[in-house]
Amino acid sequence: MSSTAIVSASDENYQDAVKAAVPLLRAGEVVALPTETVYGLAGNAFDPLAVAKIFSAKERPSFDPLIVHVAHRADLERVCVIPEDIQPTVEKLLNAFWPGPLTIVLPKHPDVPDLVTSGLGTVAVRQSANKIFRAISKELGQPLAAPSANRFGRISPTSAGAVMRELEGRIPLIVDGGACSEGLESTIIHLTAGEKRPTITILRPGPITKEMLQNFGKVERPKRPRDGSAPTAPGMLPSHYAPRTPLLLIENAADFRPQPGKRYGLLSYTGEPGKGYVSLHRWAAMETLSPGNGKLPEAALRLFHLLRKLDEAELDYIVAEPVSEVGLGVAIMDRLRRAAAPI
Ligand code: AMP
Ligand code: MG
């Protein structure tokens, strides 16, 4: 692959994008598409060669399974088999949150290639709310396997420009649908029937928060191995979403001990002098997640974009302020912790 084309699209006008993307996808190619969470690198989920191209363009290890996106709810039965005991809960969750940023892990249909699920007996399924994504998937008539359109372990892209910086020359086409409206990857859950109420395990926190899921069952986070050994569930790799510049997530201001002569940049929550870490140091650069009062949805939306900006600011270190771990703050802190983990 030598050059990567970009075609522009909007919610009102996406015909050119459909015309450019669908023939490529039919031919077993991969295309970067906007979703409401982050940009995805999409390929026909039933075509193992297309799926292999997703892994190779991203340099993603084959043990990390992909999310499958369905255009219609009816397509669910093509990709998974919903156990009877959780069927009513799945139905309620889909009515509440689909199309939208909720991914559910369900037993896989035998037709889904093993490469998609990394050999697991389960498949992660989602229905994107992005109009452009859905129009392309409907026209293709196939579910799309689509992980985030970044190289493995790097920051997820929330704009077409960010995809270009990650995958230029590796994929034939990027559909530019503008900035993503959520900016953080989908919430991933797993369900078990339970005796009285179903249990909803949040495998990856995201825009659909614990608080939003609590009406549908008992919500829990997976237990992490105590000995610090490798996580058993996929999607829980400690080091992920990482900028190239080392990121320090400083949970207490007193722990910040800058080395002389080094350039530190701040990822601030509100950017207000006297609040957070704004006045803690003479920062070589500063970006603000949610100027003024600080709003978590705005912070989530801007997180990856601003991390990418700081990564390009020729700093020695990026310092991130913690945000409060309620609602969307849980997903933001999850991404910051993984970005900060040593590689
Ligand atoms: P990405 O789309 O790049 O954000 O990655 C998809 C995430 O979904 C990865 O972190 C996977 O580990 C997770 N995932 C995909 N399939 C499964 C599955 N069957 N069980 C648990 N997690 C999954
Ligand atoms: Mg990803």
Side-chain angles (χ1 to χ4, degrees), residues 58 60 148 150 240:
K58 280 182 59 97
R60 183 174 175 119
S148 52
N150 50 282
H240 220 92

Side-chain angles (χ1 to χ4, degrees), residues 115-130:
L115 189 55
V116 171
T117 63
S118 304
L120 294 172
T122 52
V123 61
V125 215
R126 176 183 156 206
Q127 185 185 39
S128 173
N130 183 286

Side-chain angles (χ1 to χ4, degrees), residues 6 9-10 19 50 59 89 96 101 103 117 129 133 150 158 162 199 204 215 218 247 271 286 289 317 319 334:
I6 292 202
S10 68
K19 272 189 213 142
E59 295 173 34
T89 312
T103 299
T117 63
F133 187 100
N150 50 282
T158 52
T199 300
R204 176 174 74 186
N215 285 338
K218 182 168 166 278
L247 181 123
M286 183 174 92
L289 288 170
Y317 295 96
V319 171
D334 169 77

